[in-house]
Each structure stands twice: as C-alpha cells, then as structure tokens.
Amino acid sequence: MAGDRRTVVDPARSLALLWRTREPVSRGARPPLSVDRIVRQGIDIADAEGLDAVTMRRVGEALGVGTMSVYTYVPGKTELVNVMVDTVYAETARPADLTGWRVRLEQIARENWALYRRHPWLLRAETARPVLGPHLLAKYDYELTAVDGIGLTDVEMDGVLTLLLGHVRSAARAAVDQSELERETGLTEGQWWQAHAPWLELFAAGGGYPTAARVGTAAGQAYGAAYSPEHAFEFGLHRVLDGIAVVVADRPGGHERPTRE
C-alpha cells in the first residue's frame, strides 16, 4: 500500500477483513457503523483530496464517531486502503456477450482506464503485492477469460494481462500527473504549449535538430500540448493488442473459443 510500504500487516487479520469473515457488532452509532461504511468514507475522501488525506481520525470525524471506534472495525490505515482498493475493483463492468479475444481485451483496458480516472489514488495504492480480496479475484478471473482457450499457456495468459494492464496504468499515471501539473501551475497543457512551442521550433531547428523540430511540432499541433495521455493510451493499446495477436497466431492450435456464459 502507498503511504508506508514498510508496514507489516497480519495476513490472517487482513484477509478476514477483506473477506468479512468476522466483524464487530455496531454499538451506538446511527446509522450503525460497519466496515463498508468506513471504507466508503475512505474512498470518498481519497477521491476528493487524495490518499494522504485518508487517516483514521479523518474518517471517524466524517462519520461522526471517535477514532477508536474506527479502529474497532479496521486495524489501521494500511488495512483500510487495502479494502478500499478491493472495493473499487468491483466497479469494472464485466459483460459476458463480447466476441473475440481482441474485443474482450480492449473492453478490459477501457474499463481499467476509466477506473483509474475515477479513482486516481488507486495508482498510488496498488503495489506488486496484490490485495487478495474477493473483488480482486473476481476481476482477475473475468479478465483471464478474455484469453482463455485461444492457445496460450496459463503463464502466458497471466503475462498478457500484466502487459495490458501495465500499459493502462502507465497512461493513466501520465494523465494524473498532467492534471496535477495543471492544478499546481495554473496553466492548462494547451496554454503551456502555446507559450513554449515557438521556442521548441526555434531552438530545435536552429540547433541542428531538424527531425525533433518537425516531429515535436507536428505532435504538439495534433495534441494541443507536449504530450497526450489519451493518445498514448489509444495508440499503445492497439499496438499491445497487435503484439498479442502475433503470439496467439504463433501458437499451435491458437484459436478463438466461444464466449463463456
């Protein structure tokens, strides 16, 4: 979890929280306090103000209860953010009627792109050690079915998802960085580009970098900015799918399979 990666959590207690195998009975709070209410409040705060704004005290204040009441349900911020991550994973749409692995993977990429745009804090909260909650597993299972039965090994199926979602995450992080720069500087990307583009053309062309001047100017005119996360997402998505198509075609018996009901 972002914030303090050195925090060590008790796996048994963390998983019990994620899977809701045991939960204290609410006493006194109206409406009754619960893990779900605490997590939803944490998500609302993170969406509005970022992950650093999420503290046990802040969540308690927003819910109208004391900090210790929050600790009764959730051991700490690390565990809280873990459940927040697993909870928002449930938001991705999972239609069962899409035909073709490429169509299915594209839908998965777009759902994850939209998820990061709704919850930018998720980019900081995710780590290489996944949150093994029910919504993560449901999401992973659904996404794997996009390439199940088309000739890939199980490890290759996992690798395809890692490649695809890694691309989505990279483009989404650039989009968040761009938004933060606009907020911090008070300049939109278009305004920044209008102020700097003439100097790029002047220095790059005059300094013996004609290719950089030509391509940089063309890209800037196309994006209205120095960089477009949306274009990077779209262009990269189709190139990733093209690469996966080469792998599938190279596998003996690589083929489509009927969409799982």
Side-chain angles (χ1 to χ4, degrees), residues 53-261:
V54 179
T55 66
M56 304 298 274
R57 178 185 296 275
R58 178 71 184 283
V59 170
E61 289 174 351
L63 291 172
V65 300
T67 305
M68 293 312 298
S69 294
V70 179
Y71 277 110
T72 300
Y73 290 81
V74 181
K77 179 174 176 177
T78 296
E79 292 86 352
L80 172 59
V81 174
N82 285 346
V83 185
M84 288 164 54
V85 169
D86 189 63
T87 298
V88 298
Y89 283 155
E91 295 177 10
T92 57
R94 296 161 196 176
D97 59 349
L98 301 180
T99 302
W101 66 263
R102 189 172 183 123
V103 172
R104 292 190 289 269
L105 285 182
E106 183 173 345
Q107 182 268 341
I108 288 166
R110 295 189 186 285
E111 280 295 316
N112 280 275
W113 168 260
L115 184 67
Y116 286 125
R117 300 309 301 270
R118 287 195 302 274
H119 306 295
W121 56 268
L122 186 57
L123 291 161
R124 286 190 58 206
E126 290 180 326
T127 72
R129 297 176 178 176
V131 176
L132 300 178
H135 299 306
L136 168 92
L137 293 183
K139 179 174 179 289
Y140 181 54
D141 184 76
Y142 172 80
E143 292 172 347
L144 285 172
T145 64
V147 289
D148 190 20
I150 63 171
L152 302 178
T153 67
D154 287 350
V155 174
E156 287 172 335
M157 289 168 58
D158 180 79
V160 162
L161 276 187
T162 299
L163 175 65
L164 180 74
L165 298 182
H167 165 66
V168 176
R169 192 175 297 112
S170 176
R173 183 171 289 112
V176 170
D177 289 344
Q178 193 176 76
S179 296
E180 290 179 349
L181 268 175
E182 289 188 354
R183 185 173 62 253
E184 291 168 2
T185 64
L187 289 175
T188 67
E189 290 302 304
Q191 291 169 332
W192 185 92
W193 178 249
Q194 286 177 358
H196 289 77
W199 296 101
L200 167 67
E201 187 172 359
L202 175 65
F203 290 135
Y209 310 106
T211 306
R214 188 187 79 244
V215 174
T217 300
Q221 290 174 347
Y223 308 149
Y227 176 76
S228 169
E230 291 77 12
H231 179 269
F233 169 72
E234 293 291 343
F235 183 84
L237 171 59
H238 292 291
R239 301 299 77 77
V240 168
L241 296 176
D242 289 344
I244 295 169
V246 173
V247 176
V248 173
D250 191 49
R251 293 293 177 270
H255 61 281
E256 285 289 352
R257 54 98 172 99
T259 303
R260 187 173 74 174
E261 296 297 335

